[in-house]
Amino acid sequence: MSRAVDGKKRKDHRKKILGLAKGFWGRRHSNYKVAKDAVAKAQSYAYRDRRDRKGTFRRLWIARLNAAFRAEGLTYSRFIEGMAKAQIEVDRKMLADMAVRDLAGFKAVVEKAKAALVA
C-alpha cells in the first residue's frame, strides 16, 4: 500500500496539531514532529489538572473556613463534628461563601454547631 504524504486528511491533522501548539516556545509551535509531543504532554497535564483543581478549591475553602471558625472560638474539625451532630448538611463551598458574604447566616450555623457539641 502506498504511503500518504500530501493528502487532505494528513494535512488537516498536522494543521490541527500545530494549531493546538500555537503559543508554544521555539520549534514546539512550528515543527510538527516536536509539536506533536508537546501537545500530547500539554493535553495530559490539562486532563490531570482538571481533576486536581477540585482538590485545590476544597483546600482553599477549608483554609477560609478554619480562619472564620477560629474567629468564632472553634476549630474546623470541631465545627465539622458539631455539624454532624446537629445534622446540618451544607457543603464547604457554600459555608466558605457564607463566611465571606452572609456573616449573620454563617454565625447562626456556627451557633447551632456549637450547641450540638455541648448537648
Side-chain angles (χ1 to χ4, degrees):
M1 179 167 210
S2 60
R3 180 169 160 255
V5 176
D6 61 348
K8 179 172 173 28
K9 273 188 158 182
R10 183 179 169 94
K11 280 182 183 169
D12 287 349
H13 181 68
R14 293 166 80 92
K15 194 172 173 182
K16 179 181 133 186
I17 295 296
L18 289 171
L20 289 169
K22 190 175 177 185
F24 287 10
W25 191 84
R27 286 193 316 165
R28 304 172 121 225
H29 77 276
S30 57
N31 182 289
Y32 175 74
K33 252 183 170 175
V34 179
K36 182 176 58 170
D37 294 334
V39 166
K41 189 75 159 180
Q43 287 179 332
S44 72
Y45 282 148
Y47 179 83
R48 178 197 68 190
D49 292 341
R50 278 195 298 277
R51 277 126 194 93
D52 283 354
R53 187 185 310 136
K54 288 137 184 81
T56 303
F57 271 104
R58 183 182 169 97
R59 283 192 296 278
L60 172 69
W61 298 326
I62 289 172
R64 285 180 178 172
L65 287 171
N66 198 18
F69 296 141
R70 286 181 188 273
E72 298 293 323
L74 268 179
T75 62
Y76 171 77
S77 60
R78 290 290 289 163
F79 173 78
I80 294 298
E81 181 188 353
M83 288 259 296
K85 286 182 179 176
Q87 295 180 336
I88 301 171
E89 291 184 15
V90 181
D91 64 1
R92 286 152 184 83
K93 180 180 179 179
M94 292 310 301
L95 282 169
D97 191 54
M98 283 175 68
V100 173
R101 296 174 194 216
D102 180 22
L103 202 55
F106 179 74
K107 286 186 179 194
V109 173
V110 170
E111 292 306 318
K112 284 187 179 182
K114 274 186 183 178
L117 283 172
V118 175

